[in-house]
Amino acid sequence: MITDTSRTTWRMVGELWWPMLPIIGYVLVVSWVDLAYHLEVYEFPISILGVLGTLIGLLLAFRTNSSYDRWWEARTLWGAIVNDSRTWTRQLVTFTSGREEAADSWSAVRQMSLRQAAWCYALSRNLRGQDPLVGMEGLVNSYELERYRDAQNVPNEILHRQGLELRELKAQGEIELYEFVELERTLMRLTNSMGGCERIKNTPFPALYSRMVHGLIYGFVIFLPFGLVRVPTPGLIFISLALSFGFLLVDHVAIYLQDPFSSRPSDTPTLALSRTIEINIRQMLGETQLPEKIEPINGVLY
């Protein structure tokens, strides 16, 4: 997530340098030819360019809105994960309140609570195509960690393990039936949030739509200087480059937003949220040795 817009803006401008390079060369060549040989006879109707520019603007607006919807849905899902993770720990602690004298019971509650923090780290890294087992040390025991190495979907396997141990708590009489049902509902909401994140990750934005927009932008750039041949050369260069850069910048912003789990600066800060969840869980368990919050790096919170 971007926390310092100035740094990220310059970063995006830098990334647009290569796409703009052929456009700059083309505009400068056309401007030089117009200055030397007067291309008024080849003037392209500016009204047609206006229609084409309007069409490109509408397509970019649709794409940007669609990309933002994906980004906002991802942030909403992780907001629900934060709340449900806190709810899971609170329910475990309060439902077994007064039973702390039973060492086995409290040990199970603590283990299931910390496992929830491990699930958040695993889901975060799994969505970004990283090793989901990184960061789980100290949250689950080594034997359990080895079991997850063979799992195709580590976050799902962790939730499955939570369900099995929840059933054991119910069988041992540590929680009542209605408490068991409420905890199962929390697990169900966590599963739904995980599925929503995986749906966004595994449903890429249509590549054909991107190619079409890029083709229209470059087509617009090709004809734009010929629609401005009656404009003085400095104005022709400035207007052509400004409009081209504006269209490419909006398109680039949409690309940044369309995949909120791709390790880009605009991504949902899933790792920072996972650390916040771990801190909250440890506090609810009464621990005082807490990990440090993850701070932004160069204006970006991951």
Side-chain angles (χ1 to χ4, degrees), residues 5-259:
T5 56
S6 60
R7 294 185 181 183
T8 309
T9 299
W10 284 112
R11 174 176 176 174
M12 286 194 293
V13 170
E15 291 176 357
L16 287 175
W17 171 251
W18 285 109
M20 281 295 297
L21 193 59
I23 295 176
I24 293 173
Y26 173 76
V27 171
L28 290 177
V29 169
V30 173
S31 300
W32 177 81
V33 173
D34 178 50
L35 189 64
Y37 300 102
H38 303 288
L39 298 178
E40 285 83 358
V41 68
Y42 299 105
E43 183 179 8
F44 195 83
I46 195 67
S47 58
I48 296 179
L49 287 172
V51 172
L52 181 58
T54 302
L55 175 61
I56 294 173
L58 291 174
L59 291 174
L60 286 175
F62 172 78
R63 177 175 183 175
T64 304
N65 287 336
S66 299
S67 299
Y68 179 79
D69 287 342
R70 288 164 62 93
W71 181 87
W72 182 247
E73 183 183 3
R75 186 61 186 89
T76 301
L77 288 169
W78 268 87
I81 287 173
V82 171
N83 292 337
D84 288 332
S85 297
R86 293 166 175 165
T87 299
W88 170 259
T89 302
R90 176 180 56 79
Q91 288 174 330
L92 285 173
V93 172
T94 56
F95 289 167
T96 58
S97 178
R99 304 186 181 96
E100 290 87 344
E101 295 80 7
D104 292 341
S105 174
W106 181 247
S107 175
V109 168
R110 183 178 184 278
Q111 185 177 28
M112 294 171 71
S113 298
L114 293 179
R115 187 183 293 119
Q116 177 56 34
W119 176 82
C120 295
Y121 285 112
L123 179 61
S124 172
R125 290 190 164 87
N126 194 53
L127 290 171
R128 291 179 174 174
Q130 302 168 351
D131 184 359
L133 299 181
V134 175
M136 291 174 57
E137 299 83 359
L139 297 173
V140 297
N141 58 55
S142 57
Y143 172 75
E144 185 177 338
L145 191 61
E146 287 299 319
R147 293 185 57 182
Y148 294 145
R149 295 190 186 279
D150 297 327
Q152 294 293 325
N153 189 324
V154 173
N156 186 64
E157 188 66 23
I158 293 175
L159 288 184
H160 178 63
R161 183 64 185 173
Q162 295 281 60
L164 293 176
E165 293 201 4
L166 181 62
R167 185 182 63 182
E168 291 180 9
L169 284 180
K170 172 63 175 62
Q172 295 169 2
E174 300 295 341
I175 55 176
E176 303 294 336
L177 177 59
Y178 77 91
E179 296 171 337
F180 172 82
V181 171
E182 288 300 319
L183 283 162
E184 269 293 339
R185 287 176 178 171
T186 303
L187 278 182
M188 181 182 66
R189 291 195 300 271
L190 289 167
T191 303
N192 290 339
S193 295
M194 178 179 66
C197 292
E198 290 173 342
R199 170 173 47 79
I200 294 174
K201 178 64 178 179
N202 298 326
T203 307
F205 205 87
L208 181 61
Y209 190 92
S210 298
R211 295 193 191 101
M212 180 182 66
V213 172
H214 289 161
L216 288 173
I217 291 175
Y218 282 103
F220 177 79
V221 170
I222 290 173
F223 291 105
L224 180 58
F226 292 96
L228 302 172
V229 290
R230 297 188 182 275
V231 177
T233 301
L236 186 152
I237 295 174
F238 176 77
I239 295 173
S240 298
L241 295 182
L243 289 176
S244 304
F245 181 79
F247 283 144
L248 289 176
L249 181 61
V250 174
D251 182 61
H252 204 61
V253 170
I255 292 174
Y256 260 62
L257 294 176
Q258 70 186 21
D259 188 358

